[in-house]
């Protein structure tokens, strides 16, 4: 074999091994690569609108089985009476009615058939409806029934992954085996308990034999429905976990959704910055009208204004920290507004009072003394306080 053929063969083997490794990762990975974040409420809502919800078919199947069975048990007298009337009608008219030329037999059969089956159909439909509503609530989703030709295209790999090589396939297989075992054991014990009576059926009238066998069959069917209902709880929990896992998101998806829901953080930051600039600009315009500016002296500055005719207490007209505090002090000095250093008062007013608010009562005494000193120095009348 030539070197060229050997190289081509080894290359094919490497590509084959690589394909196998990629298939292993695709088929048996617990979750898609990178999808580590729990789904957001928005993602869940969108999935619900598309008809993707967590539910178990076991509960619906058990209700559709149980409620009609109970209905048959309750309506058994009515149904036997209808059957007797139907048999009596056809036997009585078997030699009278022209089957080929008259539509009466078909109308009669249809009437009896509907009388016998419509109640059971109605109860089965209501049971299926309740089985879904109990799990996911009432939600009409047209998207779930919208024709999608992509679903017709066979996807053997995904089908094999989901049906044969997945945790869901293993769970469903185990669940099916468990159902067979439990129902089989219950049926065996029930039949064994009634074994002597079953062996003696040849010695009792036909009607009693039929009632006895029908009672055993009816009891087994009800027990099987109750077993399916009990198994629907762990199945629902598993389906819910699988559903949430399928909706998991990457960190990038969470970030993008957050941007869509609340806006781009960068834009929001710039808007906040611009709003702060506007507020600061308006606030600085109030400084020249202040009576005093109380400072930290380097970190905080609070401008106070007091008018005994229009205000109950002095009002904070401007406040700032760091560079804004320097700006307030500069504007105050430019407009001959007194600047007083009082660290506790500056810190307290900055933390406790917003712009445009009057100072709290606990600051009245110290602020009145500060204003009195300011008015004494500036020569303003004390009665204007």
């Amino acid at each position: 074999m030539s070197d060229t053929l050997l190289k081509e063969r080894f290359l094919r083997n490497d590509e084959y091994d690589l394909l196998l490794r990629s298939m292993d990762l695709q088929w048996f990975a617990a979750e898609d690569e990178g999808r580590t974040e729990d789904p957001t409420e928005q993602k869940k809502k969108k999935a619900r609108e598309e008809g993707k919800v967590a539910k178990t078919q076991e509960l619906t199947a058990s209700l559709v089985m149980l409620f009609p069975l109970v209905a048959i048990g309750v309506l058994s007298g009515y149904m036997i009476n209808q059957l007797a009337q139907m048999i009596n009608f056809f036997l009585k008219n078997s030699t009278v009615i022209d089957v080929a030329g008259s539509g009466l037999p078909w109308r009669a059969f249809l009437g009896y058939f509907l009388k016998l089956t419509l109640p059971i159909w109605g109860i089965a439909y209501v049971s299926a409806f309740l089985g879904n509503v109990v799990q996911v609530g009432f939600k009409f989703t047209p998207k779930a029934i919208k024709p999608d030709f992509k679903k017709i295209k066979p996807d053997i790999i995904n089908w094999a992954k989901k049906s044969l090589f997945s945790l869901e396939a293993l769970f469903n297989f185990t669940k099916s085996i468990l159902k067979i075992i439990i129902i089989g054991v219950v049926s065996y014990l029930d039949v064994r308990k009634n074994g002597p009576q079953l062996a003696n059926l040849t010695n009792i009238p036909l009607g009693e034999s039929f009632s006895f066998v029908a009672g055993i069959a009816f009891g087994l069917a009800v027990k099987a429905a109750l077993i399916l209902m009990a198994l629907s709880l762990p199945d629902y929990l598993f389906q819910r976990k699988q559903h949430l896992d399928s909706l998991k998101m990457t960190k990038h998806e969470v970030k993008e959704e957050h941007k869509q829901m609340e806006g781009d953080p960068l834009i929001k930051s710039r808007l906040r910055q611009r709003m702060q600039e506007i507020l600061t600009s308006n606030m600085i315009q109030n400084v020249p009208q202040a009576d005093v500016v109380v400072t930290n002296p380097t970190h905080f500055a609070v401008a106070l204004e007091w008018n005994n005719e229009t205000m109950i207490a002095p009002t904070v007209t401007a406040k700032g920290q760091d560079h804004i505090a320097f700006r307030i002090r500069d504007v105050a000095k430019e407009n001959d507004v007194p600047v007083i250093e009082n660290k506790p008062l500056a810190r307290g007013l900055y933390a406790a009072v917003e712009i445009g608010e009057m100072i709290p009562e606990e600051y009245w005494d110290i602020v009145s003394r500060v204003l009195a000193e300011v008015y004494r120095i500036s020569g303003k009348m004390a009665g204007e306080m």
Side-chain angles (χ1 to χ4, degrees):
M1 186 178 294
S2 65
D3 294 342
T4 303
L5 292 177
L6 283 173
K7 290 180 180 178
E8 290 179 354
R9 183 172 181 180
F10 283 124
L11 179 60
R12 292 194 190 101
N13 288 337
D14 291 342
E15 291 175 349
Y16 180 72
D17 291 340
L18 180 61
L19 175 62
L20 285 179
R21 287 197 295 271
S22 64
M23 289 173 63
D24 289 342
L25 290 174
Q26 182 182 6
W27 287 13
F28 300 103
E31 58 186 16
D32 293 337
E33 184 179 358
R35 298 185 180 275
T36 58
E37 305 302 310
D38 292 333
T40 61
E41 292 301 322
Q42 181 67 17
K43 182 73 176 287
K44 294 178 185 177
K45 182 180 178 181
K46 184 178 179 181
R48 180 179 173 84
E49 291 174 352
E50 295 176 353
K52 299 176 183 178
V53 292
K55 66 177 182 178
T56 172
Q57 298 297 336
E58 299 294 338
L59 179 61
T60 304
S62 63
L63 292 179
V64 171
M65 183 177 179
L66 179 62
F67 286 166
L69 279 173
V70 173
I72 291 174
V74 173
L75 300 175
S76 58
Y78 162 80
M79 297 178 72
I80 292 174
N81 182 49
Q82 290 296 318
L83 284 171
Q85 290 183 24
M86 182 177 67
I87 294 172
N88 182 60
F89 172 83
F90 282 106
L91 289 177
K92 183 178 179 180
N93 294 280
S94 60
T95 59
V96 178
I97 300 174
D98 182 8
V99 178
S102 174
L104 181 60
W106 295 106
R107 291 196 300 270
F109 171 77
L110 183 61
Y112 283 116
F113 178 76
L114 293 177
K115 288 180 182 179
L116 286 168
T117 58
L118 270 182
I120 309 303
W121 285 353
I123 292 173
Y125 176 82
V126 173
S127 301
F129 179 77
L130 290 177
N132 286 281
V133 170
V134 166
Q135 297 182 75
V136 300
F138 183 78
K139 179 69 176 178
F140 179 71
T141 54
K143 290 184 180 180
I145 59 176
K146 182 179 179 181
D148 186 1
F149 294 101
K150 293 180 180 179
K151 297 180 180 179
I152 301 177
K153 181 181 178 181
D155 192 340
I156 303 301
I157 293 180
N158 284 335
W159 176 84
K161 174 186 174 183
K162 185 174 181 180
S163 302
L164 302 175
F165 305 103
S166 67
L167 180 62
E168 183 177 1
L170 178 61
F171 180 84
N172 289 333
F173 176 76
T174 305
K175 180 181 64 178
S176 299
I177 296 298
L178 189 62
K179 285 192 292 186
I180 293 173
I181 293 174
I182 295 176
I183 294 176
V185 170
V186 171
S187 301
Y188 170 77
L189 294 176
D190 208 2
V191 172
R192 182 180 179 183
K193 181 180 68 174
N194 295 282
Q197 292 89 333
L198 290 171
N200 195 40
L201 289 179
T202 55
N203 300 324
I204 60 177
L206 179 61
E208 294 181 13
S209 300
F210 177 79
S211 298
F212 181 74
V213 173
I216 294 176
F218 180 81
L220 287 175
V222 172
K223 290 175 183 177
L226 293 175
I227 291 171
L228 291 177
M229 187 178 296
L231 291 176
S232 67
L233 178 58
D235 186 59
Y236 173 76
L237 296 176
F238 177 81
Q239 297 298 336
R240 185 173 184 273
K241 181 181 181 303
Q242 291 291 97
H243 173 68
L244 294 177
D245 286 345
S246 70
L247 296 180
K248 278 189 173 182
M249 308 167 67
T250 64
K251 294 184 179 183
H252 178 71
E253 289 174 337
V254 174
K255 184 177 180 180
E256 289 299 315
E257 183 178 292
H258 182 73
K259 286 182 180 179
Q260 294 177 3
M261 294 296 295
E262 299 187 12
D264 193 327
L266 181 59
I267 296 176
K268 290 178 66 178
S269 176
R270 290 177 178 174
L271 288 175
R272 285 196 299 266
Q273 182 180 358
R274 179 57 182 161
M275 185 63 67
Q276 184 64 36
E277 291 174 355
I278 294 173
L279 291 175
T280 302
S281 176
N282 294 335
M283 176 181 66
I284 294 298
Q285 295 177 7
N286 296 327
V287 175
Q289 286 76 42
D291 290 283
V292 66
V293 172
V294 183
T295 65
N296 189 33
T298 57
H299 296 294
F300 299 99
V302 180
L304 298 173
E305 183 180 354
W306 164 236
N307 188 322
N308 61 348
E309 295 180 357
T310 61
M311 300 177 183
I312 299 175
T315 301
V316 173
T317 58
K319 71 174 185 177
Q321 185 176 3
D322 297 331
H323 69 280
I324 299 178
F326 281 110
R327 177 63 177 154
I328 291 174
R329 288 199 299 269
D330 291 340
V331 173
K333 292 177 181 179
E334 292 172 1
N335 292 272
D336 297 326
V337 177
V339 178
I340 302 296
E341 179 183 338
N342 190 315
K343 295 181 181 180
L345 180 59
R347 286 179 174 273
L349 291 176
Y350 181 86
V353 189
E354 295 299 327
I355 298 173
E357 294 182 356
M358 292 182 296
I359 64 173
E361 188 174 352
E362 60 264 26
Y363 292 103
W364 285 5
D365 182 58
I366 186 171
V367 170
S368 65
R369 282 187 276 145
V370 169
L371 289 175
E373 180 63 21
V374 168
Y375 296 150
R376 185 186 66 80
I377 296 174
S378 63
K380 188 180 289 190
M381 295 298 296
E384 296 178 8
M385 272 182 53

